Every structure is written in structure tokens, then in C-alpha cells.
Amino acid sequence: MEQKQINLRDGDCVSLWQSEVVSSYSDSALDIAKIFDVVIVGAGITGLTTAILLQQQGKKCILLDGNGVGFGTTGGTTAHLNTFFDTTYPEVEKDFGDGEARLFAEAGKEGIDTIQELTRTYGIACDLEYREGILYSETEKETKQLLEILEASRRAGVDAVETRDNGIPVEMQFAVSFKDQAQFHPLKYCKGLLQEFIDLGGVILDQAFVSEVSSQDDLQIAHVGEQRIAGKSLVYATHVPPGVTIFNFECAAYRSYVLGIKLKNGDYPEALVYDMQEPYHYFRTHEIEGQPYLILGGEDHKTGHENPEQAFKALEDYTRKYYYVESVDYKWSSQYYVPSDGLPFIGLIPGESNTYVATGYNGNGMMLGTIAGKLISDLILGKENKYQKLFSPSRIKPVAGFSEFIKENADVAYHFVADRFAAEDIDSFKDLAAGTGAVVDYKGDQLAVYKDDQGKITALNPTCTHAGCTVKFNAEEKSWDCPCHGGRFDLQGQVISGPPRKNLVGKNVIN
Ligand SMILES: Cc1cc2nc3c(=O)[nH]c(=O)nc-3n(C[C@H](O)[C@H](O)[C@H](O)COP(=O)(O)OP(=O)(O)OC[C@H]3O[C@@H](n4cnc5c(N)ncnc54)[C@H](O)[C@@H]3O)c2cc1C
């Protein structure tokens, strides 16, 4: 087995976690004819947790990632571990019921407990620490909401009390303290899980993008380039399943922005802190090699709908309003999926007998990705799991016109509009600054054009290969982002995240 070092993620900005290099393993001697018990697609927290729990139980698993461990949102998370969620307990009580709110709260606690248990069992040094979590209000309206959250949290069995201090230099009206919350280093944790998975006999292939899955004789067959990898069950741990699916209607893609900051006065928060603005800000501290960093996130918006440069600027302006900033050492953004009814979709894909999905975690995928690992592994092992019904993807009601939508999408022709694109034509792009990109008109068609620092132009068809929307340039992460369902492509047009299965078509032109 060949071992190499991979620490990339799905964007140009570097997250605080990436100094932790995750070794990845590609098995060049892999016996392709072998039938695995479970093929797991995606090596973030969901895929790794599922893989280790199944391998522990004697299932033969293979983990396939189009890139490497932590390349997706797990490498761009902020890794707060909470017993409360973006979907609040009053919302869950109202939409699902009191018992369901209690069960949701149990999932939060069990997610943290499971991370703690795996960390202890395998001796994973991932900086796991228990902290207080503080949610605070700044207006009358927020205070009213927060009082309702406090009451509903208690009814759901969550240990929450009023507190007089939010632990940060932002003036507050009211605050609630949640006990036994936690934080950790997500890539150190993933690295530990990966090592144990391999030690237990699990197989991982990185750079293994699954472009298609077909069925044959009760087997699910993942297509990776020319390779065919067969399993009795298949799990999409890809954050959102690839292709045009019902989940595109049920989960909206959002980006969130994060700064990693050194402070002048050591005023780093002890607790995990959240305001109630929309979108909210979230705060915590993490030490990397003895240096503390304030990690401050927020300015979320739908992917491809706002300007990422402005989002970072707004976040930095907000930070400087309250903190004495010595330096902004890290800034990065990442993607998450907001479920239509507030709860994640974890379990069998509707209409399938051995293909599983885990998506729609909102900003709570550390706990919910862990619970997904437990729930899906229990389903595959034929065990009962108390969250099966609450998180079942089958609760999705059929969407009117969905099959028409798939049919139409299948007809989209993703040809490159400028096959005979000539170097002299790039005159029309001379106004484009080096290091930037834009969708421009070109002889009656549109092109997604990027000019690198040497003036070399890459021109792509801007039509997203997922559902035919037009991509937008993300100047911060240097990617082409689709505003419809969160498909994202790198500067060469390769899929980097979201539901697309095919790359953007295009070519390079030397200036
Ligand atoms: C800025 C930000 C902060 C957050 N903070 C928190 C937090 O504090 N606490 C919390 O609980 N949650 C948080 N979240 C949410 C959480 O990080 C995510 O829900 C979680 O990381 C998702 O993990 P995952 O394993 O499901 O997906 P990912 O980590 O995205 O992994 C998916 C993997 O699948 C691979 N893949 C995709 N498609 C294919 C394919 N076709 N073939 C092969 N491989 C494929 C990708 O390369 C990737 O490695 C945050 C999210 C954001 C954006």
C-alpha cells in the first residue's frame, strides 16, 4: 500500500486545521474483483465514522474519496460540539413533537459521547476538550426567542441555565449556558479514525472520484475511472449525494466564512459562544503549537448568491469592532446544507434497498455526521436504531414535477461553446485582471474565463453539469460555484464539491 501526504481542501484558502497533514493511502495492489461488504463514498467525518464502526463489526469496507481525507467541509469546519442545533428545540417541538425534540437532543449528546468514546478507545490525540456553550441575545426580539429556546431545551432534557456573562466583549441582553459542550481538532480526529480503520483491515482509495453507481445482482458498483468497485451496500457520505436527486430540492447549499486570529491582549474566549443575529456569529479558541487563535465565523449566505470578498470583509470589520486584532492568520470558507424541514436525512435512499445517504446537517455535522455513522452502520448490521424514523429520508414527500425535471436535465448538452476558440480572440478579455475570473459574453455565447497571474486564460462552459444553471466566480476560494444546488468546480473545471458528477467542459488558451 502506497502512502502519501494529502492536506488539500475544496478551496484555495487554507483553514486552521490544514497544518495537520493527513496521510492518505492508495492501494495500487487492490483486488478489484473482490466484493466488499460496504463501499463508502466520501472520507469526511461521516464516511470515516461509518467505516470504522462497520469495520469494527467485521464488515469488509472500502472508503473511496475523490480527493482525500478531510478535503470536504470536515477540513473547513470549526468543530464546535453541541447539544443544541441550528434548528432550535421550539422549532422541532412545533414541527415534529415533544418526543422528537427529546430524541433530537439525545442525538446531540450521543454524537459528543461517541466522539469522546472513539477518541478514548483509540487514543486519538485530537485536542478534545469539554467547554461551556453560550447563546446570547442583543435585542428584545432575540431575548424572547432565547427564553423560548431555554424552556424548550430543558423540556428536551438539555442541561441549560441562564448566565450573566457571555464570555466575549460584545454587549448582551440575556444569555443561556449549555453544559458539557466540547471542541476538538477535526483533522487530528479524522487522522486517528483513518489509522484505526486501516489497522482493522479497512481499505481506502483517495483520488477515487465516483462518477456513477450501477446495480448488478444485488451489488452496488461504484465507477471510478475505468475501475469498478462492488459492494453489497453503498453509503453516500459525500455531504450531499451526487447527481440530480430529490435531495437537491430538500437541501439548500450555503457558505459560511471563518477567520483564525491572533489577539493583542490575550482576550480569547474560554467558552463556545454564539449570537442570535441572522446569520449568526460563532466564536471559539483553538491552540496550534502553543499559539491560541480566536476562531470567528459567520456571514453565511446561499452558495453563489453573494460576494465572498465582501463576506470576509464584513466578518473582519465585525471582529475588529470587538477585539484588538494582532493578525488575521487564517481565513477560509466552506459549504453546508440546510434541510427543508430542519432535520437531517440519514438512512436508506427512498426506493433503494442497499444504498444509504447522510445529508442536510446544517452547521451541526460533527454530531450529526457521527450519529449518521452509528445509524447507517446499525441499519447495515440489521440492528435497531432509535433515530431511524426521526431522520428517515423517506419522510420526504414526492415533489411535483420532479421526474420531468430529471428528464429535462438529462437532455442538457454540455458542449463547449467555443471549440474553435483562438488566441487572438482573447483581446475581448483583456480587461480581466490577472488572478480573477468572470462569466463573459463571447460571440453570442457565455464563457467562464479565468486569467492567471501569467496572463494564461482558461475558458470553460459556465453551464453547471448538474442541473444546467450558470456558475459564478468565487474570487476567494478560486472556484466556480453554482447558485442552484452548490456544485463547485476548480479553475480547470474539475468537480470539487456538491452534486455534479461531470467536470465543466473547456480548454486552456495561452496569451
Ligand atoms: C464554516 C463551517 C463551519 C462549521 N462548523 C461546524 C461546527 O462547529 N460544528 C458542527 O457540528 N458542524 C459544523 N459545520 C458542519 C460540518 O462541518 C459538516 O456538516 C461536516 O463536516 C460534513 O461532513 P461529511 O463527512 O458529511 O462531508 P465532507 O466533510 O464534505 O466530506 C465529503 C467527502 O466526500 C468526497 N466526495 C464527494 N463527492 C464524491 C464522489 N462523487 N466520489 C468520491 N468522493 C466524493 C469529498 O472529497 C469529501 O472528502 C460547519 C460547516 C461549515 C461550512
Side-chain angles (χ1 to χ4, degrees):
M1 196 180 270
E2 174 197 341
Q3 185 177 351
K4 56 183 174 177
Q5 308 277 289
I6 292 200
N7 63 340
L8 298 174
R9 53 176 285 275
D10 60 3
D12 201 50
C13 299
V14 177
S15 83
L16 182 78
W17 319 118
Q18 283 175 268
S19 57
E20 186 63 26
V21 175
V22 176
S23 296
S24 201
Y25 301 75
S26 265
D27 197 340
S28 45
L30 177 69
D31 177 7
I32 299 298
K34 177 174 171 177
I35 294 171
F36 289 90
D37 290 321
V38 189
V39 175
I40 298 149
V41 187
I45 192 165
T46 303
L48 282 160
T49 311
T50 309
I52 200 157
L53 294 178
L54 284 166
Q55 196 73 31
Q56 268 179 350
Q57 296 298 311
K59 293 283 177 194
K60 292 185 178 54
C61 300
I62 183 165
L63 196 47
L64 305 174
D65 197 287
N67 299 280
V69 170
F71 180 85
T73 303
T74 301
T77 188
T78 50
H80 299 225
L81 305 179
N82 305 115
T83 54
F84 61 99
F85 299 91
D86 291 351
T87 303
T88 63
Y89 291 118
E91 287 167 335
V92 182
E93 282 182 346
K94 182 170 147 286
D95 295 341
F96 293 87
D98 295 357
E100 285 74 4
R102 276 197 296 280
L103 203 50
F104 196 32
E106 285 171 28
K109 181 165 183 326
E110 190 174 326
I112 301 176
D113 289 349
T114 304
I115 290 170
Q116 201 256 349
E117 196 182 306
L118 286 169
T119 299
R120 200 191 49 225
T121 307
Y122 297 121
I124 301 173
C126 60
D127 311 338
L128 179 68
E129 286 178 84
Y130 282 85
R131 295 283 169 114
E132 183 185 11
I134 299 172
L135 183 60
Y136 70 91
S137 64
E138 295 165 279
T139 64
E140 291 297 330
K141 187 171 162 227
E142 288 175 3
T143 301
K144 187 169 172 289
Q145 278 171 353
L146 189 50
L147 282 164
E148 285 165 11
I149 290 174
L150 173 60
E151 290 312 314
S153 300
R154 285 178 176 154
R155 282 195 296 275
V158 173
D159 190 355
V161 293
E162 182 185 344
T163 177
R164 293 181 182 284
D165 183 11
N166 62 2
I168 57 169
V170 181
E171 208 173 307
M172 55 164 254
Q173 262 195 12
F174 186 72
V176 171
S177 163
F178 293 85
K179 302 297 167 205
D180 296 329
Q181 313 296 291
Q183 63 177 43
F184 70 161
H185 187 307
L187 290 189
K188 285 186 179 174
Y189 179 67
C190 286
K191 188 175 174 176
L193 291 186
L194 173 66
Q195 190 55 57
E196 290 306 325
F197 172 65
I198 290 166
D199 289 352
L200 289 166
V203 178
I204 176 164
L205 280 191
D206 56 63
Q207 312 300 313
F209 185 77
V210 176
S211 56
E212 201 185 323
V213 172
S214 55
S215 310
Q216 199 186 325
D217 305 331
D218 284 344
L219 293 178
Q220 297 302 312
I221 299 161
H223 299 215
V224 176
E226 296 302 306
Q227 291 185 321
R228 299 290 176 267
I229 297 160
K232 294 175 193 158
S233 300
L234 184 133
V235 180
Y236 284 117
T238 47
H239 209 178
V240 72
V244 179
T245 68
I246 193 90
F247 301 101
N248 300 141
F249 288 93
E250 301 298 332
C251 299
Y254 278 73
R255 291 203 78 67
S256 189
Y257 295 80
V258 189
L259 301 177
I261 295 164
K262 281 187 208 134
L263 297 176
K264 282 186 178 148
N265 59 356
D267 200 8
Y268 296 96
E270 276 291 313
L272 309 171
V273 186
Y274 314 80
D275 70 16
M276 294 185 67
Q277 295 182 12
E278 285 189 15
Y280 68 93
H281 296 96
Y282 43 104
F283 309 67
R284 81 161 174 102
T285 302
H286 202 99
E287 260 186 40
I288 304 281
E289 290 170 3
Q291 170 63 54
Y293 292 91
L294 166 68
I295 301 175
L296 209 157
E299 301 302 327
D300 305 15
H301 62 73
K302 272 188 146 179
T303 298
H305 283 244
E306 309 278 341
N307 181 338
E309 282 167 291
Q310 277 168 16
F312 273 127
K313 182 174 180 314
L315 189 59
E316 191 169 334
D317 288 349
Y318 174 86
T319 311
R320 288 183 186 277
K321 205 166 133 190
Y322 298 108
Y323 285 98
Y324 295 105
V325 173
E326 184 179 311
S327 54
V328 177
D329 295 74
Y330 296 92
K331 61 176 204 174
W332 74 94
S333 67
S334 198
Q335 186 150 304
Y336 64 98
Y337 294 89
V338 176
S340 55
D341 64 6
L343 294 185
F345 300 103
I346 305 169
L348 264 181
I349 293 186
E352 305 272 344
S353 54
N354 51 3
T355 309
Y356 300 82
V357 68
T359 188
Y361 296 155
N362 232 321
N364 306 118
M366 296 293 104
M367 291 75 62
L368 295 175
T370 303
I371 288 299
K374 293 194 87 173
L375 173 46
I376 292 174
S377 57
D378 281 350
L379 294 176
I380 290 173
L381 294 162
K383 292 186 189 166
E384 291 276 308
N385 186 295
K386 63 183 175 183
Y387 307 114
Q388 180 174 351
K389 185 158 171 273
L390 186 64
F391 297 151
S392 171
S394 299
R395 71 179 188 275
I396 298 176
K397 311 274 180 302
V399 177
F402 181 65
S403 49
E404 250 341 271
F405 172 75
I406 291 191
K407 194 170 143 295
E408 275 170 31
N409 182 61
D411 294 339
V412 177
Y414 297 110
H415 65 286
F416 184 48
V417 290
D419 284 335
R420 286 171 301 282
F421 188 53
E424 52 269 27
D425 291 332
I426 56 178
D427 265 3
S428 53
F429 309 137
K430 66 177 180 301
D431 293 341
L432 197 64
T436 61
V439 175
V440 299
D441 288 326
Y442 174 78
K443 297 185 176 174
D445 273 308
Q446 285 198 310
L447 286 179
V449 178
Y450 176 74
K451 189 189 273 183
D452 74 11
D453 292 339
Q454 281 71 47
K456 187 174 125 186
I457 283 187
T458 305
L460 303 164
N461 183 338
T463 308
C464 178
T465 56
H466 172 242
C469 303
T470 301
V471 295
K472 269 182 82 173
F473 187 63
N474 179 336
E476 294 289 346
E477 298 290 1
K478 298 272 190 288
S479 59
W480 296 101
D481 297 356
C482 180
C484 290
H485 307 103
R488 297 182 57 243
F489 304 85
D490 71 12
L491 297 175
Q492 302 306 317
Q494 273 211 314
V495 177
I496 49 173
S497 62
R501 291 192 281 206
K502 289 186 184 150
N503 299 333
L504 295 178
V505 199
K507 69 187 217 171
N508 294 329
V509 180
I510 310 295
N511 194 350

